Amino acid sequence: MTLPASEFIQNRDGSVYHLNLLPQHLANTVITVGDPERVNAVTRYFDKIEFKVQKREFHTQTGSYQGKRITVISTGIGTDNIDIVLNELDALINIDFKTRSVKNELTSLDIIRIGTSGSIQEEIPLDSFLISESAIGFDALLHFYDCNNILDKEFSEALTKHMHWPKENPDPYVVQADKELASKFNEGFRRGVTLTNCGFYGPQGRVLRLKLKDAQLNEKLKSFNYSGKKITNLEMETSAIYGLSKLMGHRAVSLNAIVANRVTKEFSKNSKKTVDSLIQLALKQIVA
């Protein structure tokens, strides 16, 4: 079936609408970062860079690190941006851009998020690294897709009961990391359950001027325990990356630099150095 122009949008040069990429620009291993400036922080360790493009917050570079071809792309912040990036990355590899139809044989990408995060457990120190074995989504994104077969319903039901979840809020959803891809990252990483929030302030329990509906939000999250698993950290993209990747048949893992501890009220004194250390460690284990 030919995809309509309103659904699969191409630019005048044939590239995919938001990312401005053509299929030949994409490697099968993709690193996602939030900040467009962080793309250069990753690719400065590459042996060579073969392609660069930037459109809006989506900055992409493809090159090689120790002989392995890798694409690095910035997503911006939030699961709404992840919806754009994941769908268009999948289109680049699984839609024929000439016939505008889905290919008969589908290809799987390895998608590795390198991002910052805040801990909600006191024992997780600043400047440490954490792999998200599971991700909880407090946004509504995945509920717009046919996704029941990939969700951990018992986990999310236990959480909503523990939180006394308001009926007007979207139901939380829980998705697992790709175990095989996650197993590549061992040395130097803690493992935990990551909560993806739909905002940085109120949804993460931060108070500047606005009063929260639930002042005990983070205390409830901190005390939650499901089959021995605690929520370890908060960020804003992982659940969407995991959910969309599973639905599309890609492998995904999220690597977090812990730059804040919400319990001790501390923030890293050199978060840039911490992120750089995570980038170097991740690259080494990608090619190991």
Side-chain angles (χ1 to χ4, degrees), residues 42-52 61-72:
V42 178
T43 60
R44 72 191 186 101
Y45 293 109
F46 280 20
D47 309 318
K48 66 176 182 179
I49 298 171
E50 65 183 68
F51 176 80
K52 295 181 181 181
Q61 295 185 24
T62 295
S64 61
Y65 175 78
Q66 294 187 11
K68 184 175 182 64
R69 192 168 186 252
I70 300 171
T71 293
V72 186

CSV table of all heavy atoms in Angstrom, one decimal, residues 42-52 61-72:
chain,number,residue,atom,x,y,z
A,42,VAL,N,29.5,13.5,21.6
A,42,VAL,CA,29.7,12.1,21.3
A,42,VAL,C,30.6,11.9,20.1
A,42,VAL,O,31.6,11.1,20.1
A,42,VAL,CB,28.3,11.4,21.0
A,42,VAL,CG1,28.5,10.0,20.6
A,42,VAL,CG2,27.4,11.6,22.2
A,43,THR,N,30.4,12.6,19.0
A,43,THR,CA,31.1,12.3,17.7
A,43,THR,C,32.5,12.9,17.8
A,43,THR,O,33.3,12.5,16.9
A,43,THR,CB,30.4,12.9,16.5
A,43,THR,OG1,30.2,14.3,16.7
A,43,THR,CG2,29.0,12.3,16.4
A,44,ARG,N,32.9,13.7,18.7
A,44,ARG,CA,34.3,14.1,18.8
A,44,ARG,C,35.2,12.9,19.1
A,44,ARG,O,36.5,13.0,18.9
A,44,ARG,CB,34.5,15.2,19.9
A,44,ARG,CG,34.4,14.7,21.3
A,44,ARG,CD,34.3,16.0,22.2
A,44,ARG,NE,34.4,15.6,23.6
A,44,ARG,CZ,35.4,15.8,24.4
A,44,ARG,NH1,36.6,16.2,23.9
A,44,ARG,NH2,35.4,15.5,25.7
A,45,TYR,N,34.7,11.8,19.5
A,45,TYR,CA,35.5,10.6,19.7
A,45,TYR,C,35.5,9.7,18.5
A,45,TYR,O,36.2,8.6,18.5
A,45,TYR,CB,34.9,9.8,21.0
A,45,TYR,CG,35.1,10.6,22.3
A,45,TYR,CD1,34.1,11.1,22.9
A,45,TYR,CD2,36.4,10.7,22.8
A,45,TYR,CE1,34.2,11.8,24.1
A,45,TYR,CE2,36.6,11.4,24.0
A,45,TYR,CZ,35.5,12.0,24.6
A,45,TYR,OH,35.7,12.7,25.8
A,46,PHE,N,34.7,10.0,17.5
A,46,PHE,CA,34.7,9.2,16.3
A,46,PHE,C,36.0,9.2,15.5
A,46,PHE,O,36.7,10.2,15.5
A,46,PHE,CB,33.5,9.6,15.4
A,46,PHE,CG,32.2,9.1,15.8
A,46,PHE,CD1,31.9,8.7,17.1
A,46,PHE,CD2,31.1,9.1,14.9
A,46,PHE,CE1,30.7,8.3,17.5
A,46,PHE,CE2,29.8,8.7,15.3
A,46,PHE,CZ,29.6,8.3,16.6
A,47,ASP,N,36.2,8.2,14.8
A,47,ASP,CA,37.4,8.1,13.8
A,47,ASP,C,37.1,9.1,12.7
A,47,ASP,O,38.0,9.7,12.2
A,47,ASP,CB,37.6,6.7,13.3
A,47,ASP,CG,37.6,5.7,14.4
A,47,ASP,OD1,38.3,6.0,15.5
A,47,ASP,OD2,37.1,4.6,14.3
A,48,LYS,N,35.9,9.1,12.2
A,48,LYS,CA,35.5,10.0,11.1
A,48,LYS,C,34.0,10.3,11.1
A,48,LYS,O,33.3,9.5,11.7
A,48,LYS,CB,35.9,9.4,9.7
A,48,LYS,CG,35.1,8.1,9.4
A,48,LYS,CD,35.5,7.7,8.0
A,48,LYS,CE,34.7,6.4,7.6
A,48,LYS,NZ,35.0,5.9,6.2
A,49,ILE,N,33.6,11.4,10.5
A,49,ILE,CA,32.2,11.7,10.4
A,49,ILE,C,31.9,11.9,8.9
A,49,ILE,O,32.6,12.6,8.2
A,49,ILE,CB,31.9,13.1,11.1
A,49,ILE,CG1,32.2,12.9,12.6
A,49,ILE,CG2,30.4,13.5,10.9
A,49,ILE,CD1,32.1,14.2,13.4
A,50,GLU,N,30.9,11.1,8.5
A,50,GLU,CA,30.6,11.1,7.0
A,50,GLU,C,29.4,12.0,6.7
A,50,GLU,O,29.3,12.4,5.5
A,50,GLU,CB,30.3,9.7,6.6
A,50,GLU,CG,29.0,9.1,7.2
A,50,GLU,CD,28.8,7.7,6.8
A,50,GLU,OE1,29.6,6.8,7.2
A,50,GLU,OE2,27.8,7.4,6.1
A,51,PHE,N,28.6,12.4,7.6
A,51,PHE,CA,27.4,13.1,7.3
A,51,PHE,C,26.9,13.9,8.5
A,51,PHE,O,27.0,13.5,9.7
A,51,PHE,CB,26.3,12.2,6.9
A,51,PHE,CG,25.0,12.9,6.6
A,51,PHE,CD1,24.7,13.6,5.4
A,51,PHE,CD2,24.0,12.9,7.6
A,51,PHE,CE1,23.5,14.2,5.2
A,51,PHE,CE2,22.8,13.5,7.3
A,51,PHE,CZ,22.5,14.2,6.1
A,52,LYS,N,26.5,15.2,8.3
A,52,LYS,CA,25.9,16.0,9.3
A,52,LYS,C,24.7,16.7,8.7
A,52,LYS,O,24.7,17.2,7.6
A,52,LYS,CB,26.9,17.1,9.8
A,52,LYS,CG,28.1,16.6,10.5
A,52,LYS,CD,29.0,17.8,10.9
A,52,LYS,CE,30.3,17.4,11.6
A,52,LYS,NZ,31.0,18.6,12.0
A,61,GLN,N,24.4,13.3,13.2
A,61,GLN,CA,25.7,13.0,12.6
A,61,GLN,C,25.9,11.5,12.5
A,61,GLN,O,25.6,10.8,13.5
A,61,GLN,CB,26.9,13.6,13.4
A,61,GLN,CG,26.9,15.1,13.5
A,61,GLN,CD,28.1,15.7,14.2
A,61,GLN,OE1,29.1,15.1,14.3
A,61,GLN,NE2,27.9,16.9,14.7
A,62,THR,N,26.4,11.0,11.4
A,62,THR,CA,26.8,9.6,11.2
A,62,THR,C,28.2,9.5,10.9
A,62,THR,O,28.8,10.3,10.1
A,62,THR,CB,25.9,9.0,10.1
A,62,THR,OG1,24.5,9.0,10.5
A,62,THR,CG2,26.3,7.6,9.8
A,63,GLY,N,28.9,8.6,11.5
A,63,GLY,CA,30.3,8.3,11.3
A,63,GLY,C,30.7,7.0,11.9
A,63,GLY,O,29.8,6.1,12.0
A,64,SER,N,32.0,6.8,12.2
A,64,SER,CA,32.4,5.5,12.7
A,64,SER,C,33.3,5.7,14.0
A,64,SER,O,34.1,6.7,14.1
A,64,SER,CB,33.2,4.8,11.7
A,64,SER,OG,34.3,5.5,11.3
A,65,TYR,N,33.1,4.8,14.9
A,65,TYR,CA,34.0,4.7,16.1
A,65,TYR,C,34.6,3.4,16.2
A,65,TYR,O,33.9,2.3,16.2
A,65,TYR,CB,33.1,5.0,17.4
A,65,TYR,CG,33.8,4.8,18.7
A,65,TYR,CD1,34.7,5.8,19.1
A,65,TYR,CD2,33.7,3.6,19.4
A,65,TYR,CE1,35.4,5.7,20.3
A,65,TYR,CE2,34.4,3.5,20.6
A,65,TYR,CZ,35.2,4.5,21.1
A,65,TYR,OH,35.9,4.3,22.2
A,66,GLN,N,35.9,3.3,16.1
A,66,GLN,CA,36.7,2.1,16.1
A,66,GLN,C,36.1,1.1,15.1
A,66,GLN,O,36.0,-0.1,15.3
A,66,GLN,CB,36.7,1.4,17.5
A,66,GLN,CG,37.4,2.2,18.5
A,66,GLN,CD,37.6,1.5,19.9
A,66,GLN,OE1,37.3,0.3,20.0
A,66,GLN,NE2,38.0,2.3,20.9
A,67,GLY,N,35.8,1.7,13.9
A,67,GLY,CA,35.4,0.9,12.8
A,67,GLY,C,33.9,0.6,12.7
A,67,GLY,O,33.4,0.1,11.7
A,68,LYS,N,33.1,1.0,13.8
A,68,LYS,CA,31.7,0.7,13.8
A,68,LYS,C,30.9,1.9,13.4
A,68,LYS,O,31.1,3.0,13.9
A,68,LYS,CB,31.3,0.2,15.2
A,68,LYS,CG,29.8,-0.2,15.3
A,68,LYS,CD,29.4,-0.7,16.6
A,68,LYS,CE,28.0,-1.2,16.7
A,68,LYS,NZ,27.7,-2.3,15.8
A,69,ARG,N,30.0,1.7,12.4
A,69,ARG,CA,29.2,2.9,11.9
A,69,ARG,C,28.1,3.2,12.9
A,69,ARG,O,27.3,2.3,13.3
A,69,ARG,CB,28.6,2.5,10.6
A,69,ARG,CG,28.0,3.7,9.8
A,69,ARG,CD,27.8,3.4,8.4
A,69,ARG,NE,27.3,4.5,7.6
A,69,ARG,CZ,26.0,4.7,7.2
A,69,ARG,NH1,25.1,3.8,7.5
A,69,ARG,NH2,25.7,5.8,6.5
A,70,ILE,N,28.0,4.4,13.3
A,70,ILE,CA,27.0,4.8,14.3
A,70,ILE,C,26.4,6.2,13.9
A,70,ILE,O,27.1,7.0,13.4
A,70,ILE,CB,27.7,5.0,15.7
A,70,ILE,CG1,28.3,3.7,16.2
A,70,ILE,CG2,26.7,5.5,16.8
A,70,ILE,CD1,29.2,3.8,17.5
A,71,THR,N,25.1,6.3,14.1
A,71,THR,CA,24.4,7.6,14.0
A,71,THR,C,24.1,8.1,15.4
A,71,THR,O,23.7,7.4,16.3
A,71,THR,CB,23.1,7.4,13.2
A,71,THR,OG1,23.4,7.0,11.9
A,71,THR,CG2,22.3,8.7,13.2
A,72,VAL,N,24.3,9.4,15.5
A,72,VAL,CA,24.0,10.1,16.8
A,72,VAL,C,23.0,11.2,16.4
A,72,VAL,O,23.2,12.0,15.5
A,72,VAL,CB,25.3,10.8,17.4
A,72,VAL,CG1,24.9,11.4,18.8
A,72,VAL,CG2,26.4,9.8,17.6
